[in-house]
Amino acid sequence: MIAFVLFKCIMILPILFLVTISAASSAPINLTCDHARNPAGIDNPQPRLSWIIPNTNRGEAQTAYQIVVSSSEDALKSDTGNLWDSGKVASDQSTLIRYAGKPLTSEMRCYWKVRVWTNLGQSQWSAPAEWSMGLLSESDWKGKWVANRPKLDDDETLPLNKRGRGADAASHVLQKTPGPLLRKTFVAAKSIKRATAYICGLGFYEMRINGAKVGDCVLEPSYTKYDKRALYVTHDVTPMLKQGLNAIGVMLGNGWFNCHTRDSWDFDHAPWRDTPRMLMQLNIEYSDGTSQLVVSDESWRTAFSPITFDGVRNGEEYDARLEQRGWDTAEFVEHFEGDAELPGWKPVEIVDGPKGRLVAEVAPPVKVMETIKPVKVTEPKPGVFVFDMGVNMAGWCELKVAGPVGTKVTLRYDERLHEDGTLHQSNASHLASGEFQTDKYTLRGVGLESWEPRFTYHGFQYVQVEGFPGKPTLNSLLGKVVHSSFDKAGDFECSNELLNKIQRNTVRSYISNFVSYPMDCPHREKNGWTGDAQLASETGLYNFNTTANYERWMHDFADCQRGDGNLPGIVPTGGWGFDWGNGPAWDSAYFLIPYYIYLYSGDASVLQAHYEGYKRYLDFLASKSPDHIVTLGLGDWCPPQGGPGGHATPAALTSTAYYYVDVKIAAKVAGMLGKGEDARKYNALADQIQKAFMARFYDPATGRFEGNEQCGMATAIYQGLLPESEKRKVMGALVEEIGNRDGHIWAGILGTKYLINALTNNGRADLVYTAATKRDFPSWGHWIEQGATTLWEMWNGDGSRNHIMFGDIGAWFYRALAGINPDPDKPGFKHIIIRPQMLGDLKWAKGSHLSPYGMIRSSWKRSGSGFELSLDIPTNSTATVYVPAVSEGAIVESGKPAAKSDGVKFIGIKEGCAVFEVKSGHYEFSAGK
């Protein structure tokens, strides 16, 4: 009998082994190239490849990988890497592996897959992924820049930027220039294998083939400093072509390339400013191996479009009577100028392109991401109708209307109403000419007409409609929410509904203020204010996969930086913002956002790529701070009292602190690059700045800083300038000052971020919770009590009502309440610090974040007199977990004593928590009191 049982056990062992291997053999998923899935037209010669290992087994970790990259799908199917076969590489790295194969050339298509080995076995090959290369050399472009220049009066023969700033008498010659249509027909004579279009249309373009729009993106390409860099976009248009006669059509808008109305930031005098123009190249690959190029050149024809006016801050005017139906089809018959009532067609004009070099657009583009219906329509005056969209948003409205030919319907957008219920365009003050956020549509007079703008967007909650024939209904308008189409990366929710509303408002403000680049507000300015962006970037990185968008924006910093190292307050810029005194709190976005990319994604390449720019900027600051004190800067902008600049904390205090932080980051990057001498120099400089800061601003007798505000104390703590020996004293003074303000955070945009983090990192997250749940002035809840659906610019409600600069509270929800934190020593969530805080009346909280290694989940709830914590740690990651308890003996994990559970190691008791190290997998911790 014993022998029989032994025989059965021996026979079962191989089966158990196979089951174990099968459980470990899940193929890698979520393959990305340069942070994107299957990107088209990249120009990085050594793209970075990443993947995720599905989380199916506790304690699983990668031990090796093999990548194969091939030039064809067939070669890849045979597991042949004819471009690169890494071989089996012993490594736990599953993110950002640099391509190291044969040189990549223009238009090359690369197909790749990966398999991994883990401590539990070998995986199958992943599903295939791909990327394609763009046009890597200027000589690869065979087309010419084409345009349809308007006829100008004798004194209006040159674009504004070529006539200087003194030409204000004719400063809006281009204001009423209709948008151009460009078209070409061509024959595709053979069976088509693949067709790829490369296009740069400035300022914005919409490309159409055989009557249909190419892609679902809007407001392309992204705004850049066009005299340094212009972006082209790659489209796979294979399904849109047919064997035989085809037609390409392109509509152009002014965008930021021809910002033709006067404003406070001098965009009408930008050095690149000129009429819209386009460069296009279509490569058709035939099934027989031959190819054909169709390019923009003299053979194209042009006419003016029904878009009679467009301005990125002004709006768009469209006359449907001027439509030429089918203009983008091969069957369309052109008529020449003067032959008909409609605008005539003529040869295009060959023009110069922008001075900047052409670079591939690789960040997620802008799209219509959501459609929403209005919640209410009123008629405050006869014939004046006001639609309430229910939320503050960025985008525009689609109009549906039927009426007589020539009827003009006007849509005005903004976020406030007058007391009489009409629209209050309170954000128009910085626009010195032209209408503000106003679209106009002239009807064709044929049935139900539907229209929406193409080359503008607005920030608004309310839309005032005038000239509508009859009375509109709620179905007459449809809101189009527009922002960069980055993937969602996180979710947060808790038992306190006020905090959930703040989270939703924060996310809505973030996306409203990211329309190809991060900006301050989507209506009044649309400017890339750098301080606003850096303050909200961690919130963005928790909620969305914005790495590629930020990486692209950093190139704009490099393009805008002056030779002496100075940076403007807005990026990109047409020249404004260098001498406005924004200072290091704004400029430090150039350092901090790449650092946050490194912290949250593990990608150090952005930091490293801009090291020389960092050196120039630090040299510039050094020239402005002979005693290591930086006196320029805006300071703690928009505090509760005294208007935007009403802070008592000296701007020199916050600016010098950022100087210190920037120097520390430069030292770190120097170390990464193996520049030891630079690292030592910058670390020594940081020490000198720290000593100068404390000597200048600190009162050791009181533990307070100059200005005697919360901001000054929080600055020293959060930015790392405060010696450990003084921390208890300063924390005591800070807590006292918060008490003096009845538990409110009493600070502007800088101090608010500092306070949230300084208090949480030093054991007083309870005070942040108290402030976050306030409903009176100043607080996020006070905004919500007044009906806010986004974050506002000022605590008192003045100014914009869609600003993101107070948005770091959203990151705090993830860090403190859900407890999901990156480890700076192992960035990119390679190691995770899980430390949820049970605060106030909070009964439960849960958060998730898609890290480079997979989904992190943290969910906790109070259970009777105890605490339950559910966790998911991705494969190839580990975590330190803090469980509120006085001893490890009271903690159970998945039904076992936690210290004895598989994959769990007890570390010790720290600050009221039992601390454990855990491997990847799913965990259920519970603790009784």
Side-chain angles (χ1 to χ4, degrees):
M1 185 66 176
I2 294 174
F4 176 75
V5 171
L6 182 61
F7 173 78
K8 288 187 67 176
C9 290
I10 293 171
M11 293 298 293
I12 289 171
L13 280 174
I15 298 173
L16 292 176
F17 178 75
L18 287 174
V19 170
T20 300
I21 293 298
S22 176
S25 64
S26 297
I29 59 172
N30 288 31
L31 274 65
T32 61
C33 173
D34 283 347
H35 303 287
R37 295 187 301 273
N38 301 325
I42 69 172
D43 54 7
N44 181 358
Q46 287 187 293
R48 300 151 294 176
L49 307 179
S50 305
W51 57 88
I52 288 174
I53 303 170
N55 190 356
T56 56
N57 300 287
R58 183 177 288 194
E60 187 172 11
Q62 178 182 299
T63 58
Y65 67 82
Q66 182 182 8
I67 299 170
V68 291
V69 184
S70 299
S71 58
S72 71
E73 293 176 278
D74 288 340
L76 192 70
K77 287 177 183 177
S78 64
D79 302 341
T80 301
N82 60 14
L83 294 178
W84 182 39
D85 185 340
S86 70
K88 183 177 180 180
V89 179
S91 171
D92 68 347
Q93 186 178 1
S94 57
T95 66
L96 306 169
I97 288 92
R98 288 277 183 186
Y99 171 83
K102 295 179 180 178
L104 302 177
T105 58
S106 292
E107 301 191 82
M108 179 181 285
R109 287 183 176 259
C110 303
Y111 303 88
W112 72 287
K113 61 185 178 181
V114 61
R115 62 178 173 179
V116 299
W117 288 259
T118 74
N119 54 324
L120 300 180
Q122 177 183 328
S123 80
Q124 302 295 318
W125 285 105
S126 69
E130 63 181 274
W131 78 83
S132 66
M133 303 304 295
L135 302 178
L136 305 183
S137 170
E138 185 177 350
S139 63
D140 293 325
W141 289 92
K142 306 303 180 184
K144 301 175 182 178
W145 285 91
V146 297
N148 183 351
R149 285 184 179 271
K151 293 180 180 179
L152 306 178
D153 295 337
D154 290 342
D155 63 340
E156 299 173 347
T157 56
L158 292 175
L160 296 182
N161 63 302
K162 297 180 181 178
R163 292 183 295 150
R165 300 172 66 91
D168 285 339
S171 63
H172 304 294
V173 55
L174 304 180
Q175 179 173 344
K176 291 295 182 181
T177 301
L181 301 176
L182 309 167
R183 76 182 302 267
K184 178 182 174 61
T185 58
F186 63 95
V187 174
K190 307 174 186 178
S191 173
I192 299 169
K193 177 183 178 182
R194 182 181 295 116
T196 307
Y198 307 91
I199 181 169
C200 178
L202 301 176
F204 297 135
Y205 76 90
E206 180 178 294
M207 184 179 185
R208 305 180 68 84
I209 294 180
N210 294 330
K213 180 182 175 181
V214 175
D216 58 353
C217 305
V218 297
L219 304 175
E220 283 193 304
S222 294
Y223 167 37
T224 57
K225 194 175 190 305
Y226 302 111
D227 56 341
K228 291 292 185 70
R229 182 187 309 256
L231 302 181
Y232 70 88
V233 182
T234 302
H235 297 282
D236 184 344
V237 297
T238 308
M240 305 186 75
L241 296 186
K242 59 186 178 182
Q243 188 170 343
L245 188 62
N246 294 269
I248 304 176
V250 177
M251 302 178 73
L252 294 178
N254 289 305
W256 295 101
F257 185 67
N258 183 27
C259 203
H260 47 69
T261 49
R262 290 192 300 271
D263 55 42
S264 298
W265 309 280
D266 293 340
F267 277 98
D268 56 325
H269 293 100
W272 58 72
R273 190 184 160 205
D274 217 325
T275 51
R277 57 206 54 217
M278 182 270 289
L279 176 68
M280 197 283 302
Q281 184 160 311
L282 172 64
N283 182 11
I284 305 171
E285 301 171 55
Y286 290 117
S287 300
D288 65 0
T290 60
S291 63
Q292 176 184 352
L293 274 183
V294 178
V295 302
S296 53
D297 58 16
E298 297 89 345
S299 65
W300 284 61
R301 311 286 294 175
T302 184
F304 288 121
S305 79
I307 299 175
T308 59
F309 172 87
D310 68 279
V312 72
R313 291 194 182 95
N314 307 95
E316 186 168 307
E317 298 178 17
Y318 187 95
D319 190 340
R321 297 171 299 179
L322 303 179
E323 288 179 344
Q324 302 186 59
R325 296 298 178 96
W327 72 274
D328 52 0
T329 66
E331 295 74 23
F332 179 74
V333 177
E334 297 173 2
H335 56 270
F336 296 97
E337 286 188 308
D339 288 351
E341 294 181 2
L342 294 173
W345 292 84
K346 63 180 182 178
V348 296
E349 182 177 349
I350 304 302
V351 295
D352 292 333
K355 293 180 180 178
R357 63 191 182 95
L358 283 170
V359 176
E361 170 66 278
V362 294
V366 178
K367 296 182 180 182
V368 175
M369 299 299 291
E370 183 184 1
T371 57
I372 60 174
K373 294 183 178 180
V375 297
K376 184 170 65 173
V377 60
T378 60
E379 188 178 7
K381 291 183 179 181
V384 176
F385 304 95
V386 175
F387 287 77
D388 181 353
M389 305 309 297
V391 295
N392 205 324
M393 57 182 278
W396 55 75
C397 282
E398 177 185 355
L399 170 68
K400 296 182 180 180
V401 60
V405 60
T407 302
K408 181 178 288 188
V409 181
T410 299
L411 283 68
R412 305 184 193 278
Y413 302 76
D414 217 307
E415 58 187 6
R416 297 174 190 255
L417 299 178
H418 290 292
E419 289 186 3
D420 66 358
T422 59
L423 188 72
H424 180 19
Q425 287 195 312
S426 59
N427 289 299
S429 59
H430 285 275
L431 194 65
S433 67
E435 294 191 83
F436 175 71
Q437 293 204 149
T438 300
D439 297 335
K440 297 180 180 181
Y441 178 73
T442 303
L443 276 68
R444 291 180 66 239
V446 180
L448 181 65
E449 302 178 42
S450 179
W451 172 81
E452 59 188 275
R454 286 177 170 86
F455 300 133
T456 189
Y457 70 97
H458 313 296
F460 65 100
Q461 178 172 342
Y462 304 101
V463 187
Q464 182 165 297
V465 179
E466 303 162 17
F468 193 94
K471 286 200 172 186
T473 70
L474 289 176
N475 294 322
S476 299
L477 287 188
L478 187 64
K480 301 295 182 75
V481 178
V482 171
H483 61 85
S484 294
S485 58
F486 30 61
D487 290 337
K488 191 173 179 61
D491 275 300
F492 170 81
E493 190 178 5
C494 69
S495 61
N496 188 310
E497 186 54 27
L498 175 60
L499 299 187
N500 293 334
K501 289 180 180 179
I502 295 172
Q503 165 68 2
R504 290 193 291 270
N505 288 7
T506 301
V507 169
R508 193 174 289 115
S509 278
Y510 186 82
I511 61 175
S512 296
N513 287 290
F514 215 126
V515 181
S516 92
Y517 59 96
M519 57 193 177
D520 62 330
C521 55
H523 33 60
R524 184 182 70 211
E525 300 189 35
K526 297 181 171 73
N527 283 329
W529 279 101
T530 55
D532 304 45
Q534 64 94 351
L535 292 167
S537 55
E538 289 186 272
T539 286
L541 289 163
Y542 267 118
N543 284 286
F544 299 99
N545 181 10
T546 57
T547 297
N549 299 81
Y550 281 134
E551 182 175 0
R552 187 197 62 74
W553 195 44
M554 290 303 108
H555 293 309
D556 297 326
F557 276 75
D559 290 342
C560 290
Q561 187 177 36
R562 286 179 171 171
D564 65 355
N566 194 8
L567 289 166
I570 59 172
V571 172
T573 179
W576 184 90
F578 288 95
D579 303 314
W580 204 63
N582 41 281
W586 273 249
D587 301 340
S588 293
Y590 193 29
F591 293 73
L592 286 167
I593 291 178
Y595 175 74
Y596 294 143
I597 290 172
Y598 168 68
L599 182 62
Y600 287 87
S601 76
D603 189 349
S605 64
V606 187
L607 283 168
Q608 294 167 354
H610 294 279
Y611 179 66
E612 293 302 319
Y614 296 163
K615 291 170 63 177
R616 286 192 296 273
Y617 180 72
L618 293 178
D619 287 345
F620 169 76
L621 279 190
S623 71
K624 303 294 183 181
S625 53
D627 299 319
H628 305 302
I629 300 297
V630 181
T631 56
L632 58 90
L634 298 178
D636 192 23
W637 199 243
C638 294
Q641 75 288 345
H647 49 81
T649 301
L653 187 153
T654 51
S655 292
T656 301
Y658 274 113
Y659 182 24
Y660 172 83
V661 170
D662 293 347
V663 170
K664 292 294 287 185
I665 291 174
K668 186 176 185 68
V669 180
M672 292 176 179
L673 295 171
K675 299 179 181 291
E677 184 175 342
D678 281 7
R680 288 187 291 273
K681 179 185 77 171
Y682 284 128
N683 279 321
L685 176 58
D687 290 342
Q688 293 171 334
I689 296 169
Q690 187 269 342
K691 291 174 182 176
F693 176 91
M694 294 297 293
R696 169 72 178 271
F697 301 112
Y698 182 55
D699 181 356
T702 63
R704 294 172 180 263
F705 285 77
E706 186 175 337
N708 200 29
E709 287 188 322
Q710 294 177 17
C711 177
M713 292 175 273
T715 299
I717 299 168
Y718 173 66
Q719 304 284 43
L721 290 136
L722 188 67
E724 193 65 32
S725 60
E726 298 296 309
K727 185 172 289 185
R728 183 175 180 180
K729 185 190 300 181
V730 175
M731 277 296 298
L734 177 58
V735 171
E736 179 183 0
E737 184 58 31
I738 293 171
N740 293 341
R741 295 293 188 179
D742 193 29
H744 288 90
I745 286 178
W746 199 272
I749 58 175
L750 305 183
T752 296
K753 182 178 177 84
Y754 307 161
L755 285 157
I756 288 170
N757 291 280
L759 291 169
T760 301
N761 296 342
N762 289 277
R764 295 311 306 265
D766 60 311
L767 296 179
V768 183
Y769 184 81
T770 297
T773 53
K774 292 280 187 182
R775 294 178 181 268
D776 58 341
F777 174 84
S779 67
W780 296 274
H782 187 237
W783 292 338
I784 289 172
E785 290 293 303
Q786 299 173 76
T789 60
T790 45
L791 305 186
W792 292 357
E793 181 179 16
M794 300 186 195
W795 290 120
N796 64 6
D798 289 346
S800 157
R801 294 196 166 182
N802 195 344
H803 255 64
I804 189 55
M805 57 193 191
F806 282 103
D808 192 61
I809 188 67
W812 183 78
F813 293 151
Y814 286 90
R815 283 193 298 257
L817 301 188
I820 300 172
N821 294 272
D823 182 348
D825 293 329
K826 294 183 178 180
F829 294 98
K830 180 65 174 172
H831 185 77
I832 308 157
I833 299 171
I834 301 290
R835 190 170 187 176
Q837 309 261 359
M838 293 194 302
L839 302 172
D841 59 355
L842 209 59
K843 296 180 176 64
W844 58 267
K846 60 182 178 181
S848 62
H849 176 70
L850 183 59
S851 78
Y853 300 95
M855 187 66 75
I856 304 166
R857 293 184 179 89
S858 174
S859 175
W860 66 264
K861 64 180 180 180
R862 300 179 195 262
S863 178
S865 61
F867 172 83
E868 295 179 9
L869 174 63
S870 177
L871 296 176
D872 283 299
I873 306 301
T875 299
N876 226 24
S877 291
T878 58
T880 300
V881 181
Y882 289 74
V883 181
V886 295
S887 71
E888 81 281 10
I891 301 174
V892 173
E893 194 287 307
S894 296
K896 300 177 183 178
K900 297 182 180 180
S901 186
D902 184 38
V904 179
K905 180 181 179 182
F906 175 65
I907 300 300
I909 300 294
K910 183 179 180 181
E911 298 173 358
C913 292
V915 184
F916 299 91
E917 292 289 327
V918 303
K919 299 177 181 179
S920 64
H922 178 76
Y923 295 89
E924 296 283 345
F925 288 94
S926 60
K929 291 186 179 178

